[in-house]
Amino acid sequence: QQPVQSPQAVILREGEDAVINCSSSKALYSVHWYRQKHGEAPVFLMILLKGGEQKGHEKISASFNEKKQQSSLYLTASQLSYSGTYFCGTEMTGTGGFKTIFGAGTRLFVKA
Amino acid sequence: DTEVTQTPKHLVMGMTNKKSLKCEQHMGHRAMYWYKQKAKKPPELMFVYSYEKLSINESVPSRFSPECPNSSLLNLHLHALQPEDSALYLCASSQDAGDSAGNTIYFGEGSWLTVV
């Protein structure tokens, strides 16, 4: 039921790009992306609702392929502030209604 | 800054103690959540309240007892916890929950709980 994220960890130099993937074996209604810094709460980045939808947030964008049940987060020209753990959350329905379940996370470290 | 406020930020309690975690939001959201997060793990859903009613309980042990006094407040009552319950407890809220998708979840800063 938990979405699968890859890679588990990424180390980048400032200015490099990265892609984080999220996939599910179950039908997805939406995909959420969050970033969590050490000792802090997860911070919402974006939500994707429609098949094939792509959204952007500064130099961070994401795509969602509903048919393939996959989403990818694109970080371009990475900055030191991008360091943290990125979680995808997939919204699925069950008893009691919709709920968001998070993947295991991708640890991103950007160095100068 | 998060608009979901949690207190206390840190709590240390013995296994025989009774304590409560509190959460408040003033965004007019109709759904509120409790998540538990262990170190280097993702947030794990515990409870969902929709329109002040408990809609989802993810088979959480009864030593955790949620309460939603009104649409802005959410409590988590703790009793007879075990050391393995030590974790970051995150409260969250969303505009709506239950019968439609697309609910962005906004987290509070969390309450760090240590059970000794």
Side-chain angles (χ1 to χ4, degrees):
Chain A
Q1 198 174 16
Q2 181 184 42
V4 177
Q5 284 187 238
S6 63
Q8 289 185 331
V10 182
I11 299 176
L12 298 175
R13 288 191 182 277
E14 261 188 303
E16 291 183 338
D17 302 340
V19 180
I20 300 172
N21 300 303
C22 176
S23 64
S24 174
S25 59
K26 291 187 174 283
L28 300 177
Y29 294 86
S30 69
V31 177
H32 309 217
W33 286 98
Y34 289 80
R35 177 172 60 212
Q36 185 175 29
K37 292 185 179 288
H38 182 68
E40 300 180 7
V43 173
F44 170 73
L45 293 176
M46 64 188 76
I47 180 173
L48 300 104
L49 296 174
K50 298 179 181 178
E53 185 180 33
Q54 187 145 0
K55 297 185 77 170
H57 179 75
E58 296 179 346
K59 293 181 181 177
I60 301 175
S61 62
S63 63
F64 176 27
N65 188 318
E66 187 180 344
K67 288 185 179 178
K68 291 186 177 180
Q69 296 165 190
Q70 294 174 347
S71 177
S72 294
L73 184 72
Y74 306 95
L75 302 123
T76 58
S78 59
Q79 306 168 13
L80 295 176
S81 61
Y82 287 3
S83 294
T85 300
Y86 288 79
F87 293 104
C88 73
T90 54
E91 207 166 0
M92 51 189 71
T93 187
T95 304
F98 284 89
K99 59 185 180 181
T100 300
I101 305 298
F102 291 92
T106 296
R107 286 165 182 78
L108 180 74
F109 179 69
V110 180
K111 55 184 181 180
Chain B
D1 288 340
T2 180
E3 294 185 66
V4 178
T5 304
Q6 291 186 240
T7 56
K9 294 270 191 289
H10 298 273
L11 176 64
V12 179
M13 62 183 291
M15 288 188 283
T16 58
N17 291 162
K18 284 186 181 181
K19 296 286 184 182
S20 297
L21 304 181
K22 298 185 181 300
C23 176
E24 188 170 8
Q25 59 89 12
H26 292 291
M27 295 181 281
H29 288 175
R30 308 306 294 184
M32 296 187 76
Y33 309 77
W34 281 114
Y35 280 84
K36 171 183 176 180
Q37 187 176 27
K38 303 280 276 184
K40 298 187 179 180
K41 297 291 186 182
E44 181 183 337
L45 183 64
M46 299 174 72
F47 303 103
V48 180
Y49 272 83
S50 179
Y51 293 89
E52 301 170 40
K53 294 190 187 309
L54 182 64
S55 58
I56 295 176
N57 176 343
E58 292 286 273
S59 302
V60 179
S62 60
R63 58 186 184 269
F64 295 92
S65 175
E67 178 197 17
C68 189
N70 60 53
S71 61
S72 299
L73 296 174
L74 185 66
N75 299 322
L76 186 63
H77 302 299
L78 314 170
H79 175 54
L81 296 193
Q82 302 298 312
E84 58 264 30
D85 295 322
S86 298
L88 176 66
Y89 288 83
L90 294 162
C91 175
S93 69
S94 66
Q95 184 71 35
D96 204 348
D99 59 356
S100 63
N103 295 298
T104 298
I105 293 175
Y106 297 94
F107 287 96
E109 303 218 342
S111 292
W112 293 90
L113 174 67
T114 303
V115 181
V116 297

